Amino acid sequence: MRFSDRVDAGRRLAERLGHLRGEHPVVLGLPRGGVPVAFEVARALDAPLDVILVRKLGVPYHRELGFGALGEGGVRVIRDDIVRMSRVDEDDLAEVERSEAAELARRAERFRAGQPRVPLKGRTAVVVDDGIATGATAAAACQVARAQGAARVVLAVPVAPPDAAAAFRKEVDELVCLSTPPLFSAVGEWYRDFSQTSDEEVVELLRRNAEERGAGGGEAHSGALKIPVDGGRTTLAGDLTMPADCPGLVVFAHGSGSSRLSPRNRAVAEALNAAGLGTLLFDLLTPLEEGDRANVFAVEPLAHRLTEVTRWLRHRETVPICYFGASTGAAAALWAAADAAAGDGDGIAAVVSRGGRPDLAGPRLPEVTAPTLLIVGGHDETVLDLNRQAARQLRCENRLAVVPGATHLFEEPGTLESVADLARDWFTAHLAAPAAAS
């Protein structure tokens, strides 16, 4: 059996995998050549597509001869027979592994662009390649999927030599292989067009899969992110949680001296997640930038960075975006909301400020159009007065909510829970409002 190209192979393979649709699988393509095949499989199964990253470990003096493979999560598959035959010593092995581990990290960043891996825990993982030669890379990929918590691992390939196919039937829960020709020398000979797949094509296919499936609205997904800003020169750490079918995503802007690890913001985020809302907690500044205290209170640059992160999110999540700001972060959130209102794109659905300094957003306050809730502790008298003044400057729908007995950090028993309840009700009410009106 010969295939016109990888698209043809993927469509033919998908016909044999239809029985998996009811298992709601995750399809994992081996970059680069396996991804165009996997894209067609994922489309047919209405499944999320991700890459599963492994690197062949090649003999130093003959790199095409693989003595094993390296996968994400520290998975190693070594062919002892080839190591003995090629006389690869430990130093050679270590050097090759170091080089390939660096390339593995580069590809993860390149292909996923900071997005977390699609969670595999408890799922059926369908590992797809354009064909099997020695099988070392596919074996590593299947082990990586198993290590990441997949309940079932299915290996699906258009073509493989008979001996490799027979071996894999014992290694995976299910093998789907369309052709096992007895005279097999290379995968490419079974394709009329076996031209190289580029990194850009892999990225585009992942993007198309997410777009076609409406990324962010259906499948639950979460994980650590690396968010590019400043034209890709700077990377910010973030933690994303997206419950299934969530109506909106709340982006947290922390205050001075705080970070995405703030226990108060995390407690509020958990309450929002429990209500079905998505959350992103991220560091507005890098550790080096935080070393300059002037950056911590520079509201306009912080707001512009929040706007950058929001734009990045809009390319990956299709749900409305809200802001939750604390202390000086509230000023950055309101400033960024004003920028969003003045721009050509979608605005911010709602803003909540906790113990915020909206006064630092100054003249931008009248430009905010997002419904805004200002939450202040009853014993935080100076900040309460500043919020009262800010509320008078806001022209959008707004409300000042005072939590009795609370000081600035809401450390008193029950006060932070009150903040979470107020924020949850504000966000859910204003996320539901556009749907009700449409």
Side-chain angles (χ1 to χ4, degrees), residues 196-254:
Q196 188 175 25
T197 302
S198 67
D199 283 2
E200 289 73 21
E201 184 176 354
V202 171
V203 173
E204 174 62 14
L205 290 173
L206 292 173
R207 185 198 66 77
R208 283 175 57 191
N209 172 266
E211 183 178 85
E212 289 177 9
R213 301 189 71 255
E219 294 278 339
H221 52 286
S222 62
L225 300 182
K226 292 181 179 178
I227 305 172
V229 293
D230 303 335
R233 297 186 302 276
T234 305
T235 299
L236 304 176
D239 295 312
L240 177 73
T241 301
M242 293 291 286
D245 300 312
C246 64
L249 170 59
V250 180
V251 179
F252 281 68
H254 58 74

